[in-house]
């Protein structure tokens, strides 16, 4: 049996008197797209921030490749191979594609053998390879990313994660604010990542997108796990009822 890449076991997180996460467990396997669904305030953001090291669980355990990671910093979690792409993408709009792929990990060279300067040429060459690896074409890598489409910007954020050898990719509303053609491009990209063995946690309010790309879905409701289903064994109506906290009987 294939071991999970990521395991969350009975995690709790409370802010003041409010439980943001209550006894939540889930597994993510290599090459799987696991959807995380729930209404606003259901606990999705808290859960992914605990996985990514932004918050620490009050109780419970999170492990990656069998190793406990609770207590690690966000950078330590990233270094292990868990990348989170938030809605704002964390791109520097005024910088080009190459520097954005290496943001925070810039390549340097010595000018005149002395002064350290950014090696823009090397970063653009490596960025082009990273994009090609995922079948992404951007004609001019010297453009500031503000000049690119929403779909291209999302592709850059994903390419950055894959370039740094992410094995778990958490995607927070990756198709929000995109047009239909760009949504299709991002979903195609997710399917390519899946074939490469990357485990993906896919967070979305769009149930159509969830059913298009996901293998399994975990539904959260007011901090608790309301249900877990294989996508092939459920439908949008059942998922909505779970999101609303309604008990769903299975025959």
């Amino acid at each position: 049996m294939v071991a999970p890449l990521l395991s969350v076991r009975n995690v709790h997180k409370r802010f003041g008197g409010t439980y943001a996460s209550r006894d939540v467990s889930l597994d993510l396997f290599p090459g799987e797209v696991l959807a995380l669904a729930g209404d606003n305030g259901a606990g999705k953001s808290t859960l992914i921030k605990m996985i990514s090291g932004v918050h620490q669980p009050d109780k419970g355990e999170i492990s990656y490749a069998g190793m406990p990671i609770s207590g690690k910093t966000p950078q330590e979690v990233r270094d292990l191979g868990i990348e989170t792409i938030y809605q704002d993408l964390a791109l520097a709009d005024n910088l080009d594609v190459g520097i954005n792929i290496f943001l925070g990990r810039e390549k340097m060279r010595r000018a005149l053998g002395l002064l350290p300067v950014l090696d823009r040429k090397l970063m653009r060459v490596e960025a082009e390879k990273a994009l090609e690896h995922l079948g992404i074409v951007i004609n001019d890598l010297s453009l500031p990313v503000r000049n690119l489409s929403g779909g291209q910007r999302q592709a850059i954020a994903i390419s950055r994660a894959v370039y740094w050898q992410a094995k778990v990719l958490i995607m927070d509303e990756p198709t929000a604010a995109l047009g239909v053609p760009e949504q299709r491009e991002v979903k195609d990209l997710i399917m390519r990542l899946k074939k490469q063995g990357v485990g993906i946690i896919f967070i979305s309010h769009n149930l159509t997108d969830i059913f298009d790309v996901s293998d399994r879905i975990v539904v959260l409701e007011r901090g608790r796990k309301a249900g877990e289903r294989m996508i092939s064994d459920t439908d949008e109506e059942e998922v909505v009822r779970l999101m609303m906290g309604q008990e769903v009987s299975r025959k």
Side-chain angles (χ1 to χ4, degrees):
M1 183 176 178
V2 178
L5 269 176
L6 180 76
S7 291
V8 177
R9 286 288 172 268
N10 309 112
V11 295
H12 294 252
K13 185 65 180 179
R14 188 166 63 181
F15 297 101
T18 302
Y19 268 104
S21 188
R22 189 194 305 257
D23 197 29
V24 175
S25 297
L26 60 81
D27 289 318
L28 175 70
F29 293 89
E32 178 185 41
V33 181
L34 174 66
L36 192 61
D39 209 346
N40 292 332
K44 303 186 301 297
S45 293
T46 299
L47 180 58
I48 65 170
K49 286 179 179 178
M50 285 191 287
I51 293 171
S52 61
V54 175
H55 296 322
Q56 299 302 325
D58 298 329
K59 290 196 298 184
E61 187 67 71
I62 301 172
S63 59
Y64 169 70
M67 177 181 67
I69 61 171
S70 301
K72 292 190 178 295
T73 67
Q75 187 58 55
E76 288 171 334
V77 171
R78 288 184 69 196
D79 290 343
L80 286 171
I82 301 173
E83 290 273 357
T84 303
I85 301 176
Y86 295 102
Q87 276 185 270
D88 63 6
L89 302 180
L91 298 177
D93 284 350
N94 60 319
L95 301 177
D96 66 31
V97 176
I99 294 181
N100 269 284
I101 294 288
F102 286 86
L103 206 59
R105 300 161 168 167
E106 292 83 358
K107 298 288 187 181
M108 308 297 290
R109 63 180 177 84
R110 294 282 178 179
L112 304 175
L114 297 171
L115 299 174
V117 296
L118 291 173
D119 194 337
R120 294 176 182 273
K121 181 178 179 181
L122 176 61
M123 287 189 283
R124 284 178 188 165
V125 169
E126 290 296 307
E128 186 173 16
K129 291 179 184 177
L131 293 166
E132 285 180 354
H133 178 67
L134 294 176
I136 300 162
V137 177
I138 296 177
N139 293 327
D140 188 353
L141 298 187
S142 67
L143 287 173
V145 297
R146 74 162 74 90
N147 295 348
L148 302 178
S149 71
Q152 288 174 318
R153 289 161 55 83
Q154 185 71 244
I156 291 166
I158 294 169
S159 296
R160 179 174 63 194
V162 174
Y163 180 84
W164 294 106
Q165 300 183 327
K167 296 300 182 185
V168 171
L169 190 56
I170 302 170
M171 306 181 74
D172 186 12
E173 300 285 355
T175 57
L178 296 182
V180 173
E182 292 179 325
Q183 290 177 8
R184 190 177 303 116
E185 290 173 8
V186 171
K187 287 189 278 188
D188 287 346
L189 188 51
I190 289 170
M191 300 311 287
R192 289 199 289 274
L193 290 171
K194 177 180 172 180
K195 289 179 181 178
Q196 294 174 16
V198 177
I200 299 171
I201 296 178
F202 182 81
I203 302 162
S204 180
H205 284 90
N206 188 319
L207 291 181
T208 299
D209 288 351
I210 284 175
F211 277 80
D212 281 349
V213 302
S214 303
D215 300 294
R216 195 159 44 93
I217 183 170
V218 167
V219 181
L220 299 180
E221 190 265 334
R222 288 184 292 181
R224 69 181 184 92
K225 184 176 174 180
E228 179 176 346
R229 302 284 189 270
M230 296 298 296
I231 286 293
S232 57
D233 292 338
T234 189
D235 55 30
E236 292 189 16
E237 181 181 350
E238 182 181 33
V239 170
V240 170
R241 289 174 62 193
L242 289 169
M243 290 169 63
M244 295 173 63
Q246 298 179 5
E247 294 296 328
V248 179
S249 61
R250 303 305 299 269
K251 294 180 179 179

